[in-house]
Every structure is written in C-alpha cells, then in structure tokens.
Amino acid sequence: MGPPHEHLHEFTRGRSTANSISILLSSICTTPSVVVFLDLNKAFELASPLAIQETLIHMGVKDRIANVRFQGHFSQQKPLENGTPQGGVLSPALFNTLMSNILNIHLPEGCKIISYA
C-alpha cells in the first residue's frame, strides 16, 4: 500500500492536529489564502463501499470477508458489504484510503488539501 500521503494526518501514527495546523499556517502566512474546513458526519458509516472497494482493488487488495469464532468453531465466511465496520481495527485504514484519493486530486499551483480527523 505504501506510505500515507504527506498531508494525511488522520489515524496515522506520529501525525497529529499540530502537524496539520503547522502545515496550514506555513501555507497561509506568506500568501493571501482562502481556507475551507469540511466536517464529515458519520464518515465511517456513510463511506461508499463501492469507492472503498475500487480504491482497494486499485491498490491490489482483495475483497473484505469475515467470519466469527465461537466456542472454538468458525462460522461461514461472509462478504462485508457496507461502509467500514464501526470499531473495526481496519476502519481507520480503509477510511484513509478514501481520503488519499481526495488528497491526490490534481489542483492548481498554490492549492493544497490537508486532511485530519
């Protein structure tokens, strides 16, 4: 999968709000700027499963499947179809794959996207 985008600070070890603020301030202190903040409510629950799947396929990752172990026995495997599982250990990584797509949008010179959750 490779390293995260340099401006991706959500759910990324060693990156924090302070990093995002520092990048933002260093960008706007020297030039006239417009800053837009976007708050995504229910981001995990509403993340498009098709967009996640397409991004993962592009990155070389196969479909997500899961099963349950109870009293030493495993259930049948089932595909995970909706969003990212709330509380799942992979949910932040899956969400970051979607945010990486946004961060890789080609923008005019001088425009920058910084992502933090």
Side-chain angles (χ1 to χ4, degrees):
M1 286 176 58
H5 190 282
E6 64 180 321
H7 292 155
L8 181 69
H9 299 278
E10 61 225 15
F11 315 114
T12 306
R13 184 183 301 268
R15 298 183 185 185
S16 67
T17 307
N19 297 109
S20 297
I21 292 171
S22 175
I23 291 169
L24 175 64
L25 291 177
S26 68
S27 298
I28 66 173
C29 287
T30 57
T31 59
S33 303
V34 173
V35 178
V36 176
F37 295 93
L38 177 64
D39 181 11
L40 303 174
N41 287 326
K42 297 187 178 186
F44 282 6
E45 293 92 340
L46 299 178
S48 166
L50 295 176
I52 292 170
Q53 184 177 25
E54 183 177 314
T55 301
L56 291 174
I57 289 170
H58 180 72
M59 297 170 72
V61 179
K62 304 289 184 198
D63 291 338
R64 296 183 305 137
I65 56 172
N67 61 349
V68 176
R69 183 177 68 180
F70 181 69
Q71 296 181 347
H73 299 283
F74 286 93
S75 68
Q76 290 183 331
Q77 292 183 337
K78 299 280 186 177
L80 299 176
E81 298 174 354
N82 296 320
T84 60
Q86 189 67 21
V89 295
L90 290 179
S91 295
L94 293 171
F95 189 73
N96 278 354
T97 63
L98 294 178
M99 298 313 299
S100 291
N101 284 344
I102 293 171
L103 291 169
N104 287 318
I105 293 172
H106 180 70
L107 298 171
E109 187 175 333
C111 292
K112 188 180 296 184
I113 299 174
I114 303 168
S115 179
Y116 181 79

